[in-house]
């Protein structure tokens, strides 16, 4: 529910930003604060239902886990752990590249709307995965 409310909040912010137009410094700070709180709520909500082995917030932690627990680092991560961590790093890099491209080609509200679409798709994928897992469990 928290993720769904967060997705809706992104689009409320898009509508408000579009209606206001140019944001001055105090409004930018307020928008950033709301988005930061939303990101924290995403972590809190996704942690219990996701892979707790991979942090989605701190790229450095994920990279450290990949290298520290690799064979070269003296670790013993399984193929599945290595694959999941490597895919997480690739996904974060791809997300950063897409985000940078959107910011270079779109204005603020459009960029925020694009992130809202991606966020909503992620929430939908999470819910679909949970539903599939619940029906597959005897």
């Amino acid at each position: 529910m928290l993720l769904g409310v967060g997705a809706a909040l992104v689009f409320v912010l898009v509508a408000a930003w579009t209606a206001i137009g140019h944001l001055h410094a105090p409004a930018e700070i307020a928008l950033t604060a709301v988005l930061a709180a939303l990101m924290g709520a995403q972590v809190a909500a996704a942690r219990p239902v996701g892979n707790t082995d991979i942090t989605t917030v701190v790229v450095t932690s994920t990279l450290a886990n990949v290298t520290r627990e690799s064979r070269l680092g003296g670790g013993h991560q399984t193929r599945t752990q290595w694959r999941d961590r490597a895919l997480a790093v690739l996904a974060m890099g791809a997300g950063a590249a897409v985000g940078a491209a959107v910011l270079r080609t779109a204005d603020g509200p459009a960029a925020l709307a694009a992130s809202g679409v991606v966020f909503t798709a992620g929430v939908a994928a999470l819910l679909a995965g949970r539903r599939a897992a619940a029906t597959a469990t005897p």
Side-chain angles (χ1 to χ4, degrees):
M1 180 160 164
L2 183 61
L3 293 173
V5 169
L9 180 58
V10 169
F11 293 105
V12 168
L13 292 171
V14 168
W17 193 351
T18 301
I20 293 170
H22 176 73
L23 296 181
H24 296 287
E28 286 178 347
I29 291 169
L31 176 71
T32 303
V34 171
L35 291 172
L38 177 59
M39 289 174 66
Q42 289 174 18
V43 172
R47 196 79 146 141
V49 298
N51 184 345
T52 58
D53 187 41
I54 300 170
T55 175
T56 58
V57 178
V58 184
V59 176
T60 306
S61 247
T62 302
L63 290 171
N65 285 339
V66 169
T67 56
R68 184 184 69 237
E69 295 181 14
S70 70
R71 288 185 188 158
L72 291 175
H76 302 288
Q77 66 185 343
T78 66
R79 284 181 182 254
T80 302
Q81 287 173 319
W82 185 91
R83 182 201 68 216
D84 289 350
R85 291 171 178 166
L87 288 173
V89 170
L90 289 173
M92 287 183 261
V98 168
V102 168
L103 284 174
R104 295 205 33 102
T105 60
D107 63 351
L112 185 56
S115 71
V117 168
V118 172
F119 178 37
T120 302
V123 171
L126 176 65
L127 293 175
R130 289 186 75 196
R131 189 171 296 125
T135 58
T137 305

